[in-house]
PDB file of all heavy atoms in Angstrom:
ATOM      1  N   LEU A 339     -11.247  68.261 -22.598  1.00 89.00           N
ATOM      2  CA  LEU A 339     -12.391  67.677 -23.309  1.00 89.00           C
ATOM      3  C   LEU A 339     -13.240  68.770 -23.935  1.00 89.00           C
ATOM      4  O   LEU A 339     -13.310  69.892 -23.415  1.00 89.00           O
ATOM      5  CB  LEU A 339     -13.271  66.844 -22.354  1.00 89.00           C
ATOM      6  CG  LEU A 339     -12.936  65.373 -22.201  1.00 89.00           C
ATOM      7  CD1 LEU A 339     -11.645  65.214 -21.419  1.00 89.00           C
ATOM      8  CD2 LEU A 339     -14.075  64.637 -21.498  1.00 89.00           C
ATOM      9  N   ALA A 340     -13.900  68.429 -25.031  1.00 91.00           N
ATOM     10  CA  ALA A 340     -14.881  69.323 -25.647  1.00 91.00           C
ATOM     11  C   ALA A 340     -16.241  69.005 -25.053  1.00 91.00           C
ATOM     12  O   ALA A 340     -16.785  67.919 -25.274  1.00 91.00           O
ATOM     13  CB  ALA A 340     -14.903  69.142 -27.163  1.00 91.00           C
ATOM     14  N   SER A 365     -20.164  62.724 -12.500  1.00 91.00           N
ATOM     15  CA  SER A 365     -20.099  62.124 -13.843  1.00 91.00           C
ATOM     16  C   SER A 365     -18.906  62.657 -14.617  1.00 91.00           C
ATOM     17  O   SER A 365     -18.180  61.895 -15.275  1.00 91.00           O
ATOM     18  CB  SER A 365     -21.397  62.411 -14.604  1.00 91.00           C
ATOM     19  OG  SER A 365     -22.506  61.857 -13.933  1.00 91.00           O
ATOM     20  N   LEU A 366     -18.668  63.968 -14.549  1.00 90.00           N
ATOM     21  CA  LEU A 366     -17.516  64.548 -15.245  1.00 90.00           C
ATOM     22  C   LEU A 366     -16.208  64.032 -14.649  1.00 90.00           C
ATOM     23  O   LEU A 366     -15.238  63.777 -15.372  1.00 90.00           O
ATOM     24  CB  LEU A 366     -17.575  66.073 -15.155  1.00 90.00           C
ATOM     25  CG  LEU A 366     -18.707  66.747 -15.947  1.00 90.00           C
ATOM     26  CD1 LEU A 366     -18.699  68.251 -15.720  1.00 90.00           C
ATOM     27  CD2 LEU A 366     -18.582  66.446 -17.433  1.00 90.00           C
ATOM     28  N   ASN A 368     -15.715  61.085 -13.281  1.00 89.00           N
ATOM     29  CA  ASN A 368     -15.530  59.717 -13.785  1.00 89.00           C
ATOM     30  C   ASN A 368     -15.083  59.718 -15.235  1.00 89.00           C
ATOM     31  O   ASN A 368     -14.260  58.898 -15.648  1.00 89.00           O
ATOM     32  CB  ASN A 368     -16.835  58.927 -13.638  1.00 89.00           C
ATOM     33  CG  ASN A 368     -17.153  58.615 -12.195  1.00 89.00           C
ATOM     34  OD1 ASN A 368     -16.272  58.620 -11.342  1.00 89.00           O
ATOM     35  ND2 ASN A 368     -18.422  58.359 -11.900  1.00 89.00           N
ATOM     36  N   ILE A 369     -15.634  60.640 -16.036  1.00 90.00           N
ATOM     37  CA  ILE A 369     -15.220  60.730 -17.444  1.00 90.00           C
ATOM     38  C   ILE A 369     -13.737  61.071 -17.537  1.00 90.00           C
ATOM     39  O   ILE A 369     -12.986  60.487 -18.321  1.00 90.00           O
ATOM     40  CB  ILE A 369     -16.085  61.773 -18.184  1.00 90.00           C
ATOM     41  CG1 ILE A 369     -17.522  61.278 -18.313  1.00 90.00           C
ATOM     42  CG2 ILE A 369     -15.507  62.065 -19.562  1.00 90.00           C
ATOM     43  CD1 ILE A 369     -18.487  62.308 -18.871  1.00 90.00           C
ATOM     44  N   GLY A 370     -13.316  62.055 -16.706  1.00 88.00           N
ATOM     45  CA  GLY A 370     -11.915  62.436 -16.742  1.00 88.00           C
ATOM     46  C   GLY A 370     -10.975  61.333 -16.271  1.00 88.00           C
ATOM     47  O   GLY A 370      -9.857  61.208 -16.768  1.00 88.00           O
ATOM     48  N   TYR A 372     -11.675  57.753 -16.163  1.00 88.00           N
ATOM     49  CA  TYR A 372     -11.743  56.411 -16.737  1.00 88.00           C
ATOM     50  C   TYR A 372     -12.171  56.355 -18.205  1.00 88.00           C
ATOM     51  O   TYR A 372     -11.845  55.382 -18.894  1.00 88.00           O
ATOM     52  CB  TYR A 372     -12.756  55.556 -15.946  1.00 88.00           C
ATOM     53  CG  TYR A 372     -12.571  55.620 -14.464  1.00 88.00           C
ATOM     54  CD1 TYR A 372     -13.512  56.226 -13.640  1.00 88.00           C
ATOM     55  CD2 TYR A 372     -11.441  55.058 -13.864  1.00 88.00           C
ATOM     56  CE1 TYR A 372     -13.347  56.286 -12.259  1.00 88.00           C
ATOM     57  CE2 TYR A 372     -11.270  55.112 -12.485  1.00 88.00           C
ATOM     58  CZ  TYR A 372     -12.227  55.724 -11.693  1.00 88.00           C
ATOM     59  OH  TYR A 372     -12.063  55.774 -10.332  1.00 88.00           O
ATOM     60  N   ALA A 373     -12.889  57.356 -18.712  1.00 88.00           N
ATOM     61  CA  ALA A 373     -13.564  57.176 -20.003  1.00 88.00           C
ATOM     62  C   ALA A 373     -12.626  57.246 -21.200  1.00 88.00           C
ATOM     63  O   ALA A 373     -12.903  56.649 -22.235  1.00 88.00           O
ATOM     64  CB  ALA A 373     -14.676  58.222 -20.164  1.00 88.00           C
ATOM     65  N   GLU A 374     -11.487  58.004 -21.068  1.00 88.00           N
ATOM     66  CA  GLU A 374     -10.601  58.243 -22.212  1.00 88.00           C
ATOM     67  C   GLU A 374     -11.399  58.823 -23.384  1.00 88.00           C
ATOM     68  O   GLU A 374     -11.267  58.402 -24.535  1.00 88.00           O
ATOM     69  CB  GLU A 374      -9.905  56.956 -22.645  1.00 88.00           C
ATOM     70  CG  GLU A 374      -9.020  56.339 -21.558  1.00 88.00           C
ATOM     71  CD  GLU A 374      -8.357  55.049 -22.000  1.00 88.00           C
ATOM     72  OE1 GLU A 374      -8.490  54.719 -23.201  1.00 88.00           O
ATOM     73  OE2 GLU A 374      -7.725  54.377 -21.169  1.00 88.00           O
ATOM     74  N   ALA A 375     -12.247  59.798 -23.065  1.00 90.00           N
ATOM     75  CA  ALA A 375     -13.133  60.388 -24.064  1.00 90.00           C
ATOM     76  C   ALA A 375     -12.546  61.696 -24.579  1.00 90.00           C
ATOM     77  O   ALA A 375     -11.671  62.303 -23.961  1.00 90.00           O
ATOM     78  CB  ALA A 375     -14.510  60.640 -23.457  1.00 90.00           C
ATOM     79  N   SER A 376     -13.056  62.123 -25.718  1.00 91.00           N
ATOM     80  CA  SER A 376     -12.667  63.413 -26.284  1.00 91.00           C
ATOM     81  C   SER A 376     -13.819  64.408 -26.275  1.00 91.00           C
ATOM     82  O   SER A 376     -13.610  65.609 -26.422  1.00 91.00           O
ATOM     83  CB  SER A 376     -12.174  63.237 -27.723  1.00 91.00           C
ATOM     84  OG  SER A 376     -13.198  62.674 -28.534  1.00 91.00           O
ATOM     85  N   GLU A 377     -15.046  63.899 -26.115  1.00 92.00           N
ATOM     86  CA  GLU A 377     -16.219  64.775 -26.118  1.00 92.00           C
ATOM     87  C   GLU A 377     -17.176  64.309 -25.025  1.00 92.00           C
ATOM     88  O   GLU A 377     -17.248  63.118 -24.712  1.00 92.00           O
ATOM     89  CB  GLU A 377     -16.951  64.742 -27.469  1.00 92.00           C
ATOM     90  CG  GLU A 377     -16.124  65.276 -28.622  1.00 92.00           C
ATOM     91  CD  GLU A 377     -16.881  65.168 -29.942  1.00 92.00           C
ATOM     92  OE1 GLU A 377     -18.032  64.677 -29.913  1.00 92.00           O
ATOM     93  OE2 GLU A 377     -16.324  65.568 -30.974  1.00 92.00           O
ATOM     94  N   ALA A 378     -17.910  65.276 -24.482  1.00 93.00           N
ATOM     95  CA  ALA A 378     -18.934  64.977 -23.488  1.00 93.00           C
ATOM     96  C   ALA A 378     -20.086  65.946 -23.677  1.00 93.00           C
ATOM     97  O   ALA A 378     -19.905  67.056 -24.195  1.00 93.00           O
ATOM     98  CB  ALA A 378     -18.379  65.074 -22.060  1.00 93.00           C
ATOM     99  N   THR A 379     -21.279  65.515 -23.265  1.00 93.00           N
ATOM    100  CA  THR A 379     -22.486  66.326 -23.428  1.00 93.00           C
ATOM    101  C   THR A 379     -23.254  66.340 -22.113  1.00 93.00           C
ATOM    102  O   THR A 379     -23.431  65.294 -21.478  1.00 93.00           O
ATOM    103  CB  THR A 379     -23.388  65.767 -24.542  1.00 93.00           C
ATOM    104  OG1 THR A 379     -22.656  65.724 -25.765  1.00 93.00           O
ATOM    105  CG2 THR A 379     -24.621  66.639 -24.723  1.00 93.00           C
ATOM    106  N   ILE A 380     -23.700  67.543 -21.718  1.00 94.00           N
ATOM    107  CA  ILE A 380     -24.527  67.707 -20.522  1.00 94.00           C
ATOM    108  C   ILE A 380     -25.854  68.295 -20.970  1.00 94.00           C
ATOM    109  O   ILE A 380     -25.882  69.333 -21.652  1.00 94.00           O
ATOM    110  CB  ILE A 380     -23.856  68.639 -19.492  1.00 94.00           C
ATOM    111  CG1 ILE A 380     -22.472  68.117 -19.118  1.00 94.00           C
ATOM    112  CG2 ILE A 380     -24.731  68.769 -18.254  1.00 94.00           C
ATOM    113  CD1 ILE A 380     -21.682  69.093 -18.271  1.00 94.00           C
ATOM    114  N   VAL A 393     -25.730  62.952 -18.810  1.00 94.00           N
ATOM    115  CA  VAL A 393     -24.319  63.229 -19.063  1.00 94.00           C
ATOM    116  C   VAL A 393     -23.799  62.056 -19.883  1.00 94.00           C
ATOM    117  O   VAL A 393     -23.840  60.911 -19.431  1.00 94.00           O
ATOM    118  CB  VAL A 393     -23.519  63.373 -17.755  1.00 94.00           C
ATOM    119  CG1 VAL A 393     -22.070  63.692 -18.076  1.00 94.00           C
ATOM    120  CG2 VAL A 393     -24.127  64.445 -16.865  1.00 94.00           C
ATOM    121  N   SER A 394     -23.297  62.332 -21.085  1.00 93.00           N
ATOM    122  CA  SER A 394     -22.830  61.259 -21.971  1.00 93.00           C
ATOM    123  C   SER A 394     -21.453  61.610 -22.511  1.00 93.00           C
ATOM    124  O   SER A 394     -21.044  62.779 -22.543  1.00 93.00           O
ATOM    125  CB  SER A 394     -23.812  61.054 -23.131  1.00 93.00           C
ATOM    126  OG  SER A 394     -23.967  62.254 -23.868  1.00 93.00           O
ATOM    127  N   ASP A 395     -20.711  60.572 -22.928  1.00 93.00           N
ATOM    128  CA  ASP A 395     -19.382  60.768 -23.497  1.00 93.00           C
ATOM    129  C   ASP A 395     -19.172  59.764 -24.623  1.00 93.00           C
ATOM    130  O   ASP A 395     -19.956  58.836 -24.808  1.00 93.00           O
ATOM    131  CB  ASP A 395     -18.307  60.588 -22.416  1.00 93.00           C
ATOM    132  CG  ASP A 395     -18.292  59.174 -21.850  1.00 93.00           C
ATOM    133  OD1 ASP A 395     -17.823  58.263 -22.542  1.00 93.00           O
ATOM    134  OD2 ASP A 395     -18.772  58.983 -20.711  1.00 93.00           O
ATOM    135  N   ASN A 396     -18.112  59.972 -25.373  1.00 92.00           N
ATOM    136  CA  ASN A 396     -17.772  59.074 -26.480  1.00 92.00           C
ATOM    137  C   ASN A 396     -16.554  58.218 -26.138  1.00 92.00           C
ATOM    138  O   ASN A 396     -15.768  57.863 -27.020  1.00 92.00           O
ATOM    139  CB  ASN A 396     -17.508  59.882 -27.754  1.00 92.00           C
ATOM    140  CG  ASN A 396     -16.297  60.804 -27.619  1.00 92.00           C
ATOM    141  OD1 ASN A 396     -15.828  61.039 -26.504  1.00 92.00           O
ATOM    142  ND2 ASN A 396     -15.787  61.307 -28.736  1.00 92.00           N
ATOM    143  N   GLY A 397     -16.401  57.894 -24.853  1.00 89.00           N
ATOM    144  CA  GLY A 397     -15.223  57.163 -24.399  1.00 89.00           C
ATOM    145  C   GLY A 397     -15.298  55.668 -24.665  1.00 89.00           C
ATOM    146  O   GLY A 397     -16.112  55.186 -25.465  1.00 89.00           O
ATOM    147  N   LYS A 398     -14.457  54.921 -23.969  1.00 90.00           N
ATOM    148  CA  LYS A 398     -14.320  53.485 -24.223  1.00 90.00           C
ATOM    149  C   LYS A 398     -15.466  52.677 -23.657  1.00 90.00           C
ATOM    150  O   LYS A 398     -15.670  51.537 -24.065  1.00 90.00           O
ATOM    151  CB  LYS A 398     -13.009  52.970 -23.645  1.00 90.00           C
ATOM    152  CG  LYS A 398     -12.902  53.102 -22.123  1.00 90.00           C
ATOM    153  CD  LYS A 398     -11.572  52.596 -21.619  1.00 90.00           C
ATOM    154  CE  LYS A 398     -11.473  52.665 -20.100  1.00 90.00           C
ATOM    155  NZ  LYS A 398     -10.169  52.160 -19.613  1.00 90.00           N
ATOM    156  N   GLY A 399     -16.268  53.223 -22.748  1.00 87.00           N
ATOM    157  CA  GLY A 399     -17.410  52.514 -22.202  1.00 87.00           C
ATOM    158  C   GLY A 399     -17.003  51.340 -21.320  1.00 87.00           C
ATOM    159  O   GLY A 399     -15.817  51.072 -21.096  1.00 87.00           O
ATOM    160  N   PHE A 400     -18.010  50.603 -20.851  1.00 86.00           N
ATOM    161  CA  PHE A 400     -17.763  49.450 -19.984  1.00 86.00           C
ATOM    162  C   PHE A 400     -19.033  48.608 -19.938  1.00 86.00           C
ATOM    163  O   PHE A 400     -20.102  49.025 -20.403  1.00 86.00           O
ATOM    164  CB  PHE A 400     -17.375  49.885 -18.572  1.00 86.00           C
ATOM    165  CG  PHE A 400     -18.431  50.715 -17.870  1.00 86.00           C
ATOM    166  CD1 PHE A 400     -19.358  50.125 -17.025  1.00 86.00           C
ATOM    167  CD2 PHE A 400     -18.490  52.098 -18.072  1.00 86.00           C
ATOM    168  CE1 PHE A 400     -20.315  50.875 -16.389  1.00 86.00           C
ATOM    169  CE2 PHE A 400     -19.455  52.853 -17.439  1.00 86.00           C
ATOM    170  CZ  PHE A 400     -20.375  52.245 -16.588  1.00 86.00           C
ATOM    171  N   THR A 429     -26.244  53.592 -18.933  1.00 91.00           N
ATOM    172  CA  THR A 429     -26.216  52.849 -20.197  1.00 91.00           C
ATOM    173  C   THR A 429     -24.818  52.963 -20.784  1.00 91.00           C
ATOM    174  O   THR A 429     -24.311  54.073 -20.978  1.00 91.00           O
ATOM    175  CB  THR A 429     -27.246  53.407 -21.189  1.00 91.00           C
ATOM    176  OG1 THR A 429     -28.532  53.423 -20.569  1.00 91.00           O
ATOM    177  CG2 THR A 429     -27.303  52.558 -22.449  1.00 91.00           C
ATOM    178  N   SER A 430     -24.208  51.802 -21.071  1.00 89.00           N
ATOM    179  CA  SER A 430     -22.847  51.831 -21.609  1.00 89.00           C
ATOM    180  C   SER A 430     -22.550  50.527 -22.332  1.00 89.00           C
ATOM    181  O   SER A 430     -23.079  49.470 -21.975  1.00 89.00           O
ATOM    182  CB  SER A 430     -21.832  52.042 -20.481  1.00 89.00           C
ATOM    183  OG  SER A 430     -20.511  52.103 -21.006  1.00 89.00           O
ATOM    184  N   ARG A 434     -18.461  52.236 -27.105  1.00 87.00           N
ATOM    185  CA  ARG A 434     -19.555  53.095 -27.564  1.00 87.00           C
ATOM    186  C   ARG A 434     -19.938  54.167 -26.542  1.00 87.00           C
ATOM    187  O   ARG A 434     -21.014  54.740 -26.627  1.00 87.00           O
ATOM    188  CB  ARG A 434     -20.783  52.249 -27.888  1.00 87.00           C
ATOM    189  CG  ARG A 434     -20.553  51.280 -29.031  1.00 87.00           C
ATOM    190  CD  ARG A 434     -21.842  50.629 -29.454  1.00 87.00           C
ATOM    191  NE  ARG A 434     -21.649  49.733 -30.577  1.00 87.00           N
ATOM    192  CZ  ARG A 434     -22.620  49.053 -31.178  1.00 87.00           C
ATOM    193  NH1 ARG A 434     -23.859  49.176 -30.758  1.00 87.00           N
ATOM    194  NH2 ARG A 434     -22.343  48.243 -32.190  1.00 87.00           N
ATOM    195  N   GLY A 435     -19.086  54.414 -25.590  1.00 90.00           N
ATOM    196  CA  GLY A 435     -19.336  55.501 -24.660  1.00 90.00           C
ATOM    197  C   GLY A 435     -20.307  55.122 -23.560  1.00 90.00           C
ATOM    198  O   GLY A 435     -20.757  53.988 -23.440  1.00 90.00           O
ATOM    199  N   THR A 436     -20.636  56.132 -22.744  1.00 93.00           N
ATOM    200  CA  THR A 436     -21.479  55.926 -21.565  1.00 93.00           C
ATOM    201  C   THR A 436     -22.498  57.054 -21.486  1.00 93.00           C
ATOM    202  O   THR A 436     -22.209  58.204 -21.841  1.00 93.00           O
ATOM    203  CB  THR A 436     -20.617  55.898 -20.285  1.00 93.00           C
ATOM    204  OG1 THR A 436     -19.648  54.859 -20.399  1.00 93.00           O
ATOM    205  CG2 THR A 436     -21.489  55.643 -19.054  1.00 93.00           C
ATOM    206  N   ARG A 437     -23.701  56.706 -21.008  1.00 93.00           N
ATOM    207  CA  ARG A 437     -24.763  57.714 -20.806  1.00 93.00           C
ATOM    208  C   ARG A 437     -25.337  57.494 -19.401  1.00 93.00           C
ATOM    209  O   ARG A 437     -25.781  56.410 -19.069  1.00 93.00           O
ATOM    210  CB  ARG A 437     -25.857  57.580 -21.847  1.00 93.00           C
ATOM    211  CG  ARG A 437     -27.005  58.603 -21.666  1.00 93.00           C
ATOM    212  CD  ARG A 437     -28.115  58.334 -22.654  1.00 93.00           C
ATOM    213  NE  ARG A 437     -27.626  58.469 -24.009  1.00 93.00           N
ATOM    214  CZ  ARG A 437     -27.555  59.605 -24.704  1.00 93.00           C
ATOM    215  NH1 ARG A 437     -27.978  60.728 -24.133  1.00 93.00           N
ATOM    216  NH2 ARG A 437     -27.093  59.620 -25.916  1.00 93.00           N
ATOM    217  N   ILE A 438     -25.327  58.555 -18.607  1.00 92.00           N
ATOM    218  CA  ILE A 438     -25.919  58.531 -17.263  1.00 92.00           C
ATOM    219  C   ILE A 438     -27.145  59.438 -17.290  1.00 92.00           C
ATOM    220  O   ILE A 438     -27.019  60.621 -17.589  1.00 92.00           O
ATOM    221  CB  ILE A 438     -24.913  58.967 -16.188  1.00 92.00           C
ATOM    222  CG1 ILE A 438     -23.746  57.973 -16.126  1.00 92.00           C
ATOM    223  CG2 ILE A 438     -25.589  59.082 -14.831  1.00 92.00           C
ATOM    224  CD1 ILE A 438     -22.676  58.346 -15.150  1.00 92.00           C
TER     225      ILE A 438
END
Side-chain angles (χ1 to χ4, degrees):
L339 270 71
S365 299
L366 291 177
N368 290 339
I369 292 173
Y372 311 112
E374 299 179 7
S376 60
E377 296 178 0
T379 302
I380 303 171
V393 181
S394 58
D395 63 74
N396 64 345
K398 63 181 182 180
F400 60 95
T429 306
S430 181
R434 297 189 178 182
T436 302
R437 179 185 299 274
I438 296 177

